[in-house]
């Protein structure tokens, strides 16, 4: 009897011990499950962005925006270099040392040649201050020069120098490139400045297109998710209706097919949304946060900008602000320049070189500056074409033909440009009305679908009519978003064409 009691107590203790172990293990598992896992990072919160924010980000940190800024900086320094050419230039040139050790041929009095050894140093320093003359195409300069000659064989040192000299180099009857550059280069620089503004507006337009590409993809994804959930619910209801004899087998199969199509559309919509998200992220240059890419949550910019645009004002602002308008003037000047170049370079070409100053020589550097003598140099170099077989006339007529072609191209470009602005202003007004109409249609289609869904649940609507309501709902939603996309692209296209903000009545800088 005692042995049975002992066995019963041991068995009871064993069960209590096993239950305690299981309870402790279960508590530990629950505790570990509640702790955050390092292997699975916490999902990143969505990055909420509006259209204005995306446009601003694209202007500040996109690669296209940075390239436009770099190009503008390059054009700025090119223009600075052009301006520097018309300012006084101070330079020091020469050869130091100019050592020579060799044999040179020397003709003797009897006509024979003897090779004499030479060993000398001929060094030269020249300090000059020059200034271009744009109106005449020439240049003036003042200079000071010192030359030293060391004859190592005869142990002699001589100095030669120009304490002061004034010189002029003036082309005569020749084409003056500096005069035309002073008229064309400022236009080219102004054109590059406006091209920078245009590039930034093009960045805004491209960012708008990518923004709405992703927004349309996200709306399609929302539609696909909603349709998949609704089709699953309606299919479950249809199965009960089939059991009650209130629905045919054919209608049930049609709903089942709708469920499969909704799932397929959902997978495709997810892929399209991911691709559109990557394109927008790459263009705006948004980097990952903590090694993870935050998903975008884009706001629908359903509030259109209410402002009026006068067509004549838009055309006037475009011709005042656009680089194309400056380019029209530059191209005409370049054509006129080429005509004058052809005329001047095919006739008499001459250059006047004159130099007046003081010069001296001696055995010491100071001897050069003691009682220097006068120094004069005048020369006219010329070329006169006598027989060219019509080459001069052919070049001149070619330049004139190119000038006429440039004028005609500019006039055609002006008309095309005006037509683009007229079309864009008209399109913007039309799309503003289109946004309003599609928004109203979207609201009606959503309400109609809700009514159709309720009627189907009450067995008061066929599957075909329900499918039509779903298609109308989805089409109206997409049309509303696409109308917004067309409007905002037209809005930024008008800014790009005119470089003018009609909402604030300010020129874009």
């Amino acid at each position: 009897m005692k042995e049975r009691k002992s066995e019963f107590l041991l068995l009871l203790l064993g069960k209590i011990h096993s239950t305690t172990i299981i309870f402790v293990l279960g508590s530990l598992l629950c505790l570990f499950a509640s702790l955050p896992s390092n292997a699975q990072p916490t999902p990143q919160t969505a990055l909420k962005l509006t259209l204005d924010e995306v446009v601003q980000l694209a202007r500040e940190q996109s690669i296209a925006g940075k390239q436009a800024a770099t190009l503008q900086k390059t054009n700025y320094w090119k223009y600075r270099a052009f301006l520097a050419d018309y300012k006084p230039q101070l330079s020091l040139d020469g050869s130091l040392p100019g050592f020579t050790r060799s044999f040179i041929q020397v003709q003797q009095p009897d006509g024979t040649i003897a090779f004499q050894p030479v060993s000398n140093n001929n060094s030269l320093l020249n300090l000059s201050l020059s200034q271009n003359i744009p109106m005449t195409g020439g240049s003036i300069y003042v200079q000071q020069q010192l030359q030293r000659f060391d004859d190592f064989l005869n142990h002699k040192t001589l100095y030669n120098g120009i304490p002061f000299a004034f010189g002029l180099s003036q082309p005569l009857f020749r084409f003056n490139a500096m005069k035309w550059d002073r008229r064309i280069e400022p236009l080219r620089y102004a054109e590059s400045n406006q091209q920078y503004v245009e590039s930034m507006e093009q960045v805004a337009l491209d960012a708008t297109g990518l923004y709405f590409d992703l927004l349309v993809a996200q709306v399609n994804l929302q539609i696909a998710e909603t349709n998949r959930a609704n089709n699953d619910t309606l299919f479950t209801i249809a199965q009960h209706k089939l059991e009650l004899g209130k629905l045919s087998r054919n209608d049930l199969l049609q709903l089942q097919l709708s469920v499969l199509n909704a799932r397929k559309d959902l997978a495709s919509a997810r892929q399209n949304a991911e691709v559109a998200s990557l394109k927008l992220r790459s263009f705006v240059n948004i980097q990952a946060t903590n090694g993870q890419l935050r998903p975008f949550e884009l706001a629908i910019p359903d509030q259109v900008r209410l402002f009026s645009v006068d067509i004549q004002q838009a055309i006037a602002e475009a011709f005042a602000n656009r680089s194309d308008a400056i380019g029209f003037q530059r191209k005409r000047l370049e054509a006129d320049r080429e005509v004058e170049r052809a005329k001047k370079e095919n006739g008499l070409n001459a250059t006047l070189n004159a130099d007046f100053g003081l010069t001296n020589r001696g055995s010491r550097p100071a001897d050069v500056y003691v009682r220097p003598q006068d120094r004069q140099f005048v020369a006219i170099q010329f070329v006169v074409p006598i027989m060219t077989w019509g080459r001069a006339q052919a070049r001149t007529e070619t330049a004139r033909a190119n000038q006429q072609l440039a004028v005609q191209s500019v006039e055609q470009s002006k008309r095309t440009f005006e037509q683009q602005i007229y079309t864009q202003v008209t399109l913007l007004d039309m799309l503003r009305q289109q946004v309003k109409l599609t928004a109203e249609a979207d609201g009606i289609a959503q309400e109609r679908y809700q009514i159709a869904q309720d009627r189907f649940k009450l067995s008061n609507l066929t599957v075909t009519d329900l499918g039509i309501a779903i298609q109308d709902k989805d089409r109206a939603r997409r049309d509303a978003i696409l109308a917004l996309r067309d409007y905002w692209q037209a809005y930024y296209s008008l800014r790009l064409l005119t470089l003018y903000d009609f909402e604030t009545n300010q020129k874009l800088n």
Side-chain angles (χ1 to χ4, degrees):
M1 188 69 181
K2 291 181 180 180
E3 292 177 357
R4 289 181 179 179
K5 288 182 179 179
S6 300
E7 292 176 359
F8 176 77
L9 289 174
L10 290 173
L11 181 61
L12 181 62
L13 290 173
K15 289 183 177 181
I16 293 173
H17 180 67
S18 300
T19 303
T20 304
I21 293 174
I22 293 173
F23 175 78
V24 172
L25 290 175
S27 301
L28 291 175
L29 289 175
C30 292
L31 178 61
F32 286 131
S34 63
L35 293 175
S37 175
N38 293 329
Q40 217 163 12
T42 305
Q44 291 284 340
T45 58
L47 182 60
K48 298 181 180 180
L49 293 172
T50 63
L51 177 60
D52 292 338
E53 291 173 344
V54 168
V55 169
Q56 188 62 28
L57 285 174
R59 286 172 173 165
E60 292 176 354
Q61 61 188 36
S62 67
I63 301 299
K66 293 178 180 179
Q67 288 176 338
T70 302
L71 182 60
Q72 169 59 14
K73 187 176 180 180
T74 302
N75 291 329
Y76 168 76
W77 288 110
K78 284 183 179 179
Y79 186 65
R80 285 286 301 271
F82 161 76
L83 293 178
D85 290 338
Y86 294 87
K87 295 180 180 180
Q89 306 291 320
L90 180 63
S91 62
L92 176 66
D93 61 276
S95 58
L96 184 69
F99 177 74
T100 301
R101 176 178 290 172
S102 180
F103 290 90
I104 62 173
Q105 67 176 22
V106 178
Q107 188 172 6
Q108 303 299 311
D110 58 357
T112 60
I113 298 296
F115 293 96
Q116 301 293 337
V118 294
S119 177
N120 58 51
N121 172 53
N122 193 2
S123 300
L124 176 68
L125 287 177
N126 182 65
L127 180 65
S128 63
L129 179 65
S130 62
Q131 171 67 58
N132 289 326
I133 308 173
M135 295 304 298
T136 63
S139 63
I140 58 175
Y141 61 89
V142 292
Q143 69 172 356
Q144 188 178 38
Q145 188 179 101
L146 182 64
Q147 181 180 9
R148 171 172 172 165
F149 180 79
D150 296 302
D151 188 349
F152 298 113
L153 295 179
N154 297 318
H155 305 287
K156 291 183 179 180
T157 299
L158 298 175
Y159 288 92
N160 182 38
I162 302 174
F164 174 80
F166 170 82
L168 169 68
S169 177
Q170 177 60 55
L172 303 175
F173 314 109
R174 296 181 62 181
F175 172 73
N176 186 359
M178 287 189 288
K179 180 185 71 174
W180 287 98
D181 288 344
R182 289 193 71 182
R183 299 174 63 185
I184 293 176
E185 290 302 324
L187 290 177
R188 195 186 303 277
Y189 178 61
E191 187 179 1
S192 68
N193 288 335
Q194 298 309 105
Q195 286 174 348
Y196 168 71
V197 181
E198 292 169 13
S199 298
M200 299 308 294
E201 290 302 312
Q202 184 64 51
V203 168
L205 180 59
D206 294 341
T208 301
L210 294 173
Y211 181 92
F212 276 98
D213 287 345
L214 178 56
L215 185 60
V216 169
Q218 288 183 345
V219 169
N220 287 334
L221 180 59
Q222 294 173 0
I223 291 174
E225 290 175 344
T226 302
N227 289 341
R228 193 265 307 164
N230 290 340
N231 282 317
D232 287 343
T233 302
L234 294 175
F235 181 70
T236 303
I237 296 174
Q239 287 177 324
H240 291 292
K241 286 185 176 183
L242 181 65
E243 295 175 357
L244 298 175
K246 296 182 180 181
L247 191 72
S248 65
R249 179 69 178 174
N250 181 58
D251 290 340
L252 180 65
L253 293 176
Q254 185 174 349
L255 283 174
Q256 187 175 8
L257 182 61
S258 299
V259 170
L260 296 177
N261 288 333
R263 292 176 181 175
K264 182 180 67 176
D265 294 341
L266 178 59
S268 178
R270 284 176 178 169
Q271 181 181 4
N272 293 335
E274 186 66 25
V275 172
S277 177
L278 290 176
K279 288 183 178 180
L280 179 61
R281 189 185 307 276
S282 176
F283 183 79
V284 182
N285 197 19
I286 297 179
Q287 304 297 328
T289 303
N290 297 327
Q292 288 186 320
L293 297 176
R294 297 177 62 185
F296 292 121
E297 183 178 339
L298 304 183
I300 300 177
D302 52 359
Q303 298 295 328
V304 298
R305 307 284 174 85
L306 300 177
F307 57 89
S308 59
V309 180
D310 181 70
I311 293 179
Q312 296 303 322
Q313 182 189 3
I315 293 176
E317 292 295 340
F319 278 98
N321 304 329
R322 282 278 300 189
S323 65
D324 294 336
I326 303 175
F328 296 154
Q329 184 179 359
R330 174 183 58 80
K331 290 177 182 178
R332 282 193 169 186
L333 285 176
E334 288 177 343
D336 295 341
R337 178 189 63 184
E338 295 307 314
V339 172
E340 183 174 341
R341 186 198 300 272
K343 291 180 179 179
K344 293 293 182 66
E345 291 187 350
N346 291 325
L348 171 63
N349 287 329
T351 302
L352 169 64
N353 294 313
D355 191 305
F356 303 93
L358 302 173
T359 184
N360 205 348
R361 58 187 174 84
S363 59
R364 296 178 303 171
D367 295 340
V368 175
Y369 301 94
V370 177
R371 292 188 297 273
Q373 301 178 9
D374 293 340
R375 179 178 182 270
Q376 297 89 23
F377 170 79
V378 178
I380 295 180
Q381 299 173 335
F382 64 90
V383 175
V384 181
I386 298 176
M387 182 178 295
T388 61
W389 304 100
R391 181 184 61 187
Q393 183 181 2
R395 289 179 176 177
T396 303
E397 293 301 325
T398 300
R400 286 175 177 170
N402 289 333
Q403 181 189 31
Q404 294 177 0
L405 180 61
V407 171
Q408 294 167 0
S409 300
V410 166
E411 291 299 325
Q412 182 62 42
S413 299
K414 282 184 177 180
R415 294 181 182 181
T416 304
F417 191 44
E418 291 179 359
Q419 185 63 34
Q420 287 179 346
I421 297 171
Y422 179 85
T423 303
Q424 201 64 40
V425 172
T426 307
L427 180 64
L428 184 66
D429 292 335
M430 184 193 71
L431 290 175
R432 188 182 288 115
Q433 298 296 326
Q434 195 74 11
V435 168
K436 181 180 179 181
L437 293 176
T438 54
E440 293 177 358
D442 181 35
I444 294 173
Q446 302 298 327
E447 184 178 359
R448 178 174 175 269
Y449 168 72
Q450 190 61 44
I451 295 174
Q453 190 179 30
D454 295 338
R455 287 182 60 190
F456 178 80
K457 292 178 181 179
L458 297 174
S459 301
N460 195 17
L461 189 71
T462 63
V463 174
T464 302
D465 292 337
L466 178 63
I468 294 174
I470 293 175
Q471 292 177 1
D472 292 342
K473 168 185 70 74
D474 297 344
R475 186 185 303 110
R477 188 59 173 167
R478 292 190 183 97
D479 289 345
I481 300 300
L482 293 177
L484 283 171
R485 180 186 67 182
D486 294 340
Y487 167 77
W488 284 105
Q489 286 185 330
Y491 170 79
Y492 281 106
S493 295
L494 182 62
R495 286 170 56 100
L496 174 60
L497 285 175
T498 61
L499 297 186
Y500 190 80
D501 188 353
F502 290 93
E503 189 176 6
T504 59
N505 291 323
Q506 291 180 351
K507 178 181 177 180
L508 298 179
N509 295 317

